[in-house]
Amino acid sequence: MVGKSAVGLTLIRVVFGLSLALGHGLPKLTGDMSRFAAGVAQLGFPFPTFFAWCATLAEFLGGLLVAVGLFTRPAAAMAGFTMVVALYRHRADPFGRMELALLYLAVMAAIALIGAGPWSLDAKVRRRA
């Protein structure tokens, strides 16, 4: 992958990764985790505080890793799984409420399948090996 494809994938990876990390993960990380954990409990998860932290880290750390292209496939897979749960949470809401989770899921699934591309830390590490 070279040229425009590399630029396009990098742009998508950086924008969606940073948006997920800073727009969704960071507010949970710095906010009231008990409130988020209560929402996780309403979904029926055991150990809701643990799973709330897992989701928060998948969004924040996973988003940052996707953005820089390091451990990209597993990070995108974890963030994508979190978006599956978010879609489930918003299953009865109007489409506009679930649309963002669907977009993040689609992008993270695509990145998990495609990989980070040539302009990433993953590619830099591979070139050194």
Side-chain angles (χ1 to χ4, degrees):
M1 178 187 310
V2 294
K4 294 177 188 174
S5 296
V7 173
L9 177 57
T10 302
L11 180 65
I12 289 169
R13 188 172 44 76
V14 170
V15 169
F16 274 83
L18 287 178
S19 294
L20 184 61
L22 302 178
H24 300 278
L26 185 61
K28 289 179 181 86
L29 192 62
T30 59
D32 183 5
M33 185 58 73
S34 63
R35 183 172 168 226
F36 181 49
V40 172
Q42 287 179 342
L43 292 173
F45 278 84
F47 312 109
T49 301
F50 172 76
F51 283 107
W53 275 104
C54 289
T56 298
L57 292 175
E59 289 178 356
F60 181 70
L61 187 57
L64 291 178
L65 289 171
V66 166
V68 299
L70 182 64
F71 304 116
T72 309
R73 288 176 191 250
M78 295 296 280
F81 178 77
T82 301
M83 293 304 108
V84 169
V85 176
L87 274 174
Y88 177 76
R89 157 64 182 89
H90 294 292
R91 69 194 177 281
D93 293 345
F95 181 73
R97 279 290 280 161
M98 68 173 69
E99 180 181 17
L100 190 57
L102 181 62
L103 290 172
Y104 277 118
L105 171 60
V107 169
M108 293 301 156
I111 291 171
L113 292 170
I114 296 167
W119 295 352
S120 65
L121 292 178
D122 284 342
K124 188 173 184 131
V125 168
R126 263 194 318 275
R127 284 191 294 267
R128 285 190 178 177

